Amino acid sequence: MDRGRLTGLDGLRGIAAVAVLLHHVFVVPGSKGYLAVDFFFMLSGYVMARTYEARMALPEGAANFMRERVRRLYPVIFFASLLCMPWTIWHAGDNAWWIILLNLLLIPTPALGQIYMLNPPAWSILLELFANLVHALGLHRLGRAALAGLVAALLPLLAWFTAQGQSDTRSLYELLAAGPVRVLLPYGIGVLLYRLWRDMPPFKVPAMVTWGAMPVWLLATTLLAASPWWAALLFVVLLCPLLIAGGLQHGKGSKALALIGEMSFPLYAVHAAVLLPMKDYQLGWLPQIAGSLAAGLAFMLALRRFNAWQRRRVRLPSAPLAA
């Protein structure tokens, strides 16, 4: 089995990031673009199980895993959030510095209708790290049957929150009550899929479905403003596993998809810094999209240099302390 990079999944990660961007550019009542984040959670569960799960049972395995996850996620959202500071200072007034400090620490601060006013996507990083912690502390010890049972137990809870319109994580209550269910269900499915498939899903998914199903589903359920609540649930439990299966079968070795995947997280983290001031000045959708993509690309290139510096720093011996 090839243990190389799964570039098909990279491409899907890029599609999901663009879906979130469009969800925030075109503020449409009933938009389902936020569901792309649930795909991120499931994909994360798959990739974390594939990459790290075998090492979690080792001494210091859980601590090392969490250290890697914080090192991977936190600098990106931290630096992206710094770019949002001018907008937050302008809008939050005297409370701005408290909001900035707490949000930089991933602590929610309900203000002006946002639980993370500094950088709204930060809520998902907090939930992702929570899922990683659960994975490291106990989820990796569960067998397939027990993990499937946990997923089955979470399903009616997510169904209830979705039916109540509380699965979009827009408020502090939704973050703290619905948030853990929202992240653990798709994340757990992702872990289970890896254990069952080992990169070899037992059925074929056409390339057209792999690359087109997510945007078509999200667009259709958004245009149908009265789409039933269970359509969002079906996206998570049926379409997302289908997409992962397709991503495992298509796009292997594609440099373009690898680049799209590399840019997906920087774009997701930084697009609010572009959109918030642009919306203040009522700029149109085209400059919003173009500006966000340009910022995502620039941020990706900057992160390349930062990560290269980090790797050099780890390899170099520490300088002796001054007397």
Side-chain angles (χ1 to χ4, degrees):
M1 181 178 62
D2 181 12
R3 297 290 297 177
R5 189 168 184 87
L6 302 174
T7 50
L9 298 184
D10 280 333
L12 289 171
R13 186 183 289 112
I15 292 173
V18 171
V20 173
L21 169 63
L22 296 179
H23 172 65
H24 291 145
V25 169
F26 301 101
V27 181
V28 178
S31 171
K32 301 300 188 294
Y34 68 89
L35 290 171
V37 180
D38 297 72
F39 175 75
F40 284 142
F41 291 148
M42 189 175 297
L43 184 59
S44 177
Y46 188 95
V47 174
M48 294 305 101
R50 182 181 190 263
T51 307
Y52 294 103
E53 197 167 65
R55 289 177 268 168
M56 288 182 187
L58 299 175
E60 302 298 323
N64 290 336
F65 170 65
M66 287 306 301
R67 190 178 300 114
E68 286 299 318
R69 293 308 290 155
V70 171
R71 185 180 297 159
R72 165 79 174 94
L73 298 174
Y74 186 69
V76 178
I77 200 68
F78 178 85
F79 289 127
S81 297
L82 292 180
L83 299 176
C84 300
M85 284 177 58
W87 185 90
T88 303
I89 293 171
W90 178 259
H91 283 269
D94 294 339
N95 295 321
W97 291 108
W98 285 109
I99 292 171
I100 290 170
L101 176 62
L102 293 174
N103 283 182
L104 285 175
L105 297 173
L106 297 184
I107 299 172
T109 55
L112 300 182
Q114 291 280 1
I115 51 176
Y116 284 96
M117 183 180 178
L118 178 63
N119 193 355
W123 68 267
S124 63
I125 306 305
L126 179 68
L127 290 184
E128 168 72 18
L129 289 172
F130 168 74
N132 294 154
L133 183 62
V134 172
H135 196 175
L137 293 180
L139 198 66
H140 72 280
R141 303 181 190 277
L142 298 182
R144 292 180 185 176
L147 181 56
L150 174 62
V151 167
L154 291 171
L155 185 57
L157 292 175
L158 184 61
W160 188 85
F161 283 121
T162 304
Q164 298 298 314
Q166 296 172 344
S167 63
D168 194 8
T169 322
R170 291 167 295 185
S171 68
L172 186 61
Y173 169 77
E174 291 174 4
L175 175 70
L176 299 180
V181 177
R182 182 182 177 187
V183 66
L184 286 178
L185 177 66
Y187 188 96
I189 292 175
V191 174
L192 186 60
L193 291 179
Y194 174 71
R195 294 185 188 177
L196 293 172
W197 294 349
R198 303 283 172 171
D199 296 352
M200 299 176 65
F203 54 88
K204 298 293 184 182
V205 180
M208 183 180 297
V209 174
T210 300
W211 309 123
M214 188 189 306
V216 168
W217 183 291
L218 296 179
L219 179 62
T221 52
T222 296
L223 293 178
L224 298 173
S227 60
W229 63 265
W230 47 261
L233 199 64
L234 288 181
F235 176 86
V236 175
V237 299
L238 291 181
L239 189 62
C240 287
L242 188 71
L243 292 173
I244 289 179
L248 292 170
Q249 297 167 22
H250 302 289
K252 294 179 180 178
S254 168
K255 293 182 179 180
L257 292 180
L259 180 63
I260 290 171
E262 183 185 2
M263 183 175 164
S264 61
F265 186 29
L267 173 62
Y268 178 76
V270 81
H271 74 277
V274 177
L275 292 186
L276 292 173
M278 282 192 167
K279 286 184 178 296
D280 277 354
Y281 286 98
Q282 299 183 342
L283 299 182
W285 61 267
L286 187 57
Q288 289 183 42
I289 294 173
S292 297
L293 293 175
L297 178 60
F299 196 34
M300 180 196 75
L301 296 175
L303 287 171
R304 276 186 184 179
R305 297 182 67 87
F306 174 76
N307 291 332
W309 171 81
Q310 267 198 326
R311 287 191 294 269
R312 290 195 303 269
R313 182 171 172 268
V314 169
R315 286 196 297 263
L316 290 173
S318 300
L321 293 174

